[in-house]
């Protein structure tokens, strides 16, 4: 039995399901989770569990998204989407305990394999997929669940955001075929693209103006932008306003890699982007205790990273 077949059998018979997204969920994690919730809630009680809040741009496109910050122990089945490593869920101990108690754990993901591969009872993975949402689409199709417009839109949101609006190298013929199918099924592409365009407040413009005026390019061809807490305060911005900055920076003509460093309570959060074909940012981020893809990755630089003792984010 293939992983998708076994997952579909498990999900069909589960009375209660928890869908867990990774810490600071992106459009692919949210899109996958919302699509699963909408598709499966006819027969099961489905909750989305997130250790962080959902960025407002996703609710403006998809409507209200209810998430719980705590992981219940009583669900029949647990599903982790768009995540390869346990620590990125924000629920490491709880999930390990659930597995000790023989709870079923399905992982659906398109990243390079991490420790969740070992922990999962069923692991649906395809590294060549541009988004986890593509894998969720295949799974729901396998389950013969009709893809209504309210399911097609979150799946399309996942594909759209993980390919940078179909800009990244990962956008293959298969990706465009999936997107085309989702639009045909009622996925609201225009609402999604407009949702990201409209998000330009004065506070965000003030912040970006300040940050961009201070960027520097080092000898390795890395363009670096630093976002200090004081910058956010001065521009009356929030961390949500940083979204998209690294993609813009990656367009810098003279640079191969863009790095946005964001000051946090635990150290500097690094956001890496590149459009250079030969560069593998995922590998670089993993060296720094982070994770990601070839063209988009991230890490948390604590003092331990600089002293050679890496601490995971
Ligand atoms: Mn993804």
């Amino acid at each position: 039995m293939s992983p998708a077949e076994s997952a579909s059998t498990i999900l069909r018979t589960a009375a209660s399901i928890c869908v867990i997204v990774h810490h600071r969920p992106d459009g692919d994690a949210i899109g996958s989770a919302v699509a699963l919730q909408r598709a499966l809630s006819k027969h099961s009680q489905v909750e989305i569990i997130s250790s962080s809040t959902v960025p407002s741009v996703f609710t403006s496109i998809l409507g209200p998204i209810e998430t719980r910050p705590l992981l219940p122990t009583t669900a029949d089945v647990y599903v982790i989407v768009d995540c390869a490593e346990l620590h990125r869920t924000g629920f490491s101990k709880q999930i390990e305990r659930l597995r000790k108690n023989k709870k079923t754990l399905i992982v659906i993901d398109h990243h390079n394999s991490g420790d969740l591969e070992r922990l999962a009872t069923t692991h649906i993975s395809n590294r060549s997929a541009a988004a986890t949402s593509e894998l969720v689409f295949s799974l729901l199709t396998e389950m013969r669940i009709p893809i209504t417009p309210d399911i097609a839109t979150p799946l399309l949101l996942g594909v759209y955001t993980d390919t940078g609006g179909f800009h990244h190298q990962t956008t293959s013929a298969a990706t465009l075929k999936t997107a085309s199918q989702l639009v045909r099924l009622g996925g609201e592409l225009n609402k999604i693209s407009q949702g990201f365009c409209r998000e330009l407040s004065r506070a965000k413009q003030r912040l970006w103006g300040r940050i961009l005026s201070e960027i520097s390019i080092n000898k390795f061809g890395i363009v670096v932008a630093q976002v200090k807490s004081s910058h956010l305060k001065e521009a009356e911005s929030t961390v949500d306003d940083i979204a998209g900055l690294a993609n813009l920076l990656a367009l810098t003509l003279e640079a191969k890699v863009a790095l946005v460093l964001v000051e946090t309570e635990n150290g500097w959060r690094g956001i890496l982007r590149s459009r250079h074909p030969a560069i593998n940012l995922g590998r670089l981020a993993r060296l720094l205790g982070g994770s990601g893809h070839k063209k988009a990755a991230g890490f948390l630089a604590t003092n331990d990273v600089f002293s050679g003792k890496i601490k995971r984010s």
Side-chain angles (χ1 to χ4, degrees), residues 25-313:
D26 60 6
D28 191 24
I30 291 296
S32 298
V34 170
L36 279 170
Q37 185 181 46
R38 290 179 181 173
L40 302 174
S41 57
K42 245 187 195 169
H43 303 289
S44 319
Q45 193 209 335
V46 187
E47 279 187 312
I48 300 174
I49 313 297
S50 175
S51 58
S52 14
T53 54
V54 176
S56 59
V57 64
F58 302 137
T59 48
S60 77
I61 295 164
L62 300 177
I65 301 167
E66 215 180 292
T67 62
R68 271 180 73 170
L70 298 172
L71 186 62
T73 54
T74 49
D76 294 330
V77 174
Y78 296 82
V79 183
I80 299 175
V81 289
D82 196 40
C83 182
E85 286 168 58
L86 184 61
H87 75 274
R88 290 199 70 221
T89 61
F91 300 104
S92 298
K93 279 188 190 138
Q94 293 93 321
I95 292 168
E96 270 178 345
R97 204 172 306 135
L98 288 168
R99 284 298 296 125
K100 268 195 194 120
N101 295 331
K102 304 282 176 231
K103 287 281 187 179
T104 305
L105 176 66
I106 299 170
V107 174
I108 311 172
D109 185 41
H110 68 132
H111 294 86
N112 281 327
S113 50
D115 53 5
L116 279 176
E117 189 175 1
R118 167 185 60 80
L119 211 59
T121 38
T122 304
H123 188 234
I124 300 177
S125 144
N126 181 353
R127 280 180 223 174
S128 60
T132 297
S133 297
E134 285 188 67
L135 308 181
V136 172
F137 182 37
S138 308
L139 175 64
L140 296 177
T141 308
E142 160 94 32
M143 292 178 77
R144 293 169 198 269
I145 291 175
I147 306 293
T148 48
D150 71 321
I151 298 171
T153 301
L155 292 176
L156 189 59
L157 172 78
V159 176
Y160 184 91
T161 51
D162 257 24
T163 57
F166 307 110
H167 273 68
H168 297 166
Q169 253 185 347
T170 50
T171 312
S172 64
T175 315
L176 291 173
K177 192 179 167 205
T178 304
S180 156
Q181 284 175 312
L182 290 168
V183 170
R184 195 155 38 84
L185 291 162
E188 296 179 279
L189 180 59
N190 193 251
K191 193 174 180 183
I192 294 168
S193 55
Q194 290 302 308
F196 287 97
C197 289
R198 267 201 298 269
E199 217 206 355
L200 204 59
S201 62
R202 271 301 287 133
K204 185 166 178 167
Q205 286 169 322
R206 270 196 302 270
L207 179 72
W208 285 33
R210 171 75 195 273
I211 303 299
L212 290 172
S213 70
E214 291 172 7
I215 57 171
S216 61
I217 300 177
N218 66 23
K219 62 177 178 184
F220 303 109
I222 304 175
V223 55
V224 185
Q226 257 190 324
V227 186
K228 294 178 186 161
S229 304
S230 58
H231 290 145
L232 295 177
K233 214 171 171 187
E234 280 163 29
E236 293 170 41
S237 300
T238 65
V239 280
D240 274 1
D241 290 325
I242 300 164
L245 179 61
N247 286 332
L248 180 71
L249 216 59
L251 299 175
T252 310
L253 194 62
E254 297 84 355
K256 287 180 186 162
V257 171
L259 169 62
V260 176
L261 288 168
V262 185
E263 191 180 10
T264 74
E265 280 175 5
N266 310 315
W268 290 88
R269 182 162 68 88
I271 308 164
L272 288 159
R273 293 289 182 276
S274 178
R275 43 189 191 100
H276 199 274
I279 281 168
N280 187 339
L281 294 175
R283 200 177 293 164
L284 174 64
R286 278 191 292 281
L287 285 174
L288 296 165
S291 61
H293 304 284
K294 280 184 185 163
K295 301 296 157 219
F299 61 90
L300 182 71
T302 58
N303 287 334
D304 290 348
V305 169
F306 296 119
S307 65
K309 207 178 97 194
I310 286 171
K311 187 180 172 187
R312 290 185 181 279
S313 57

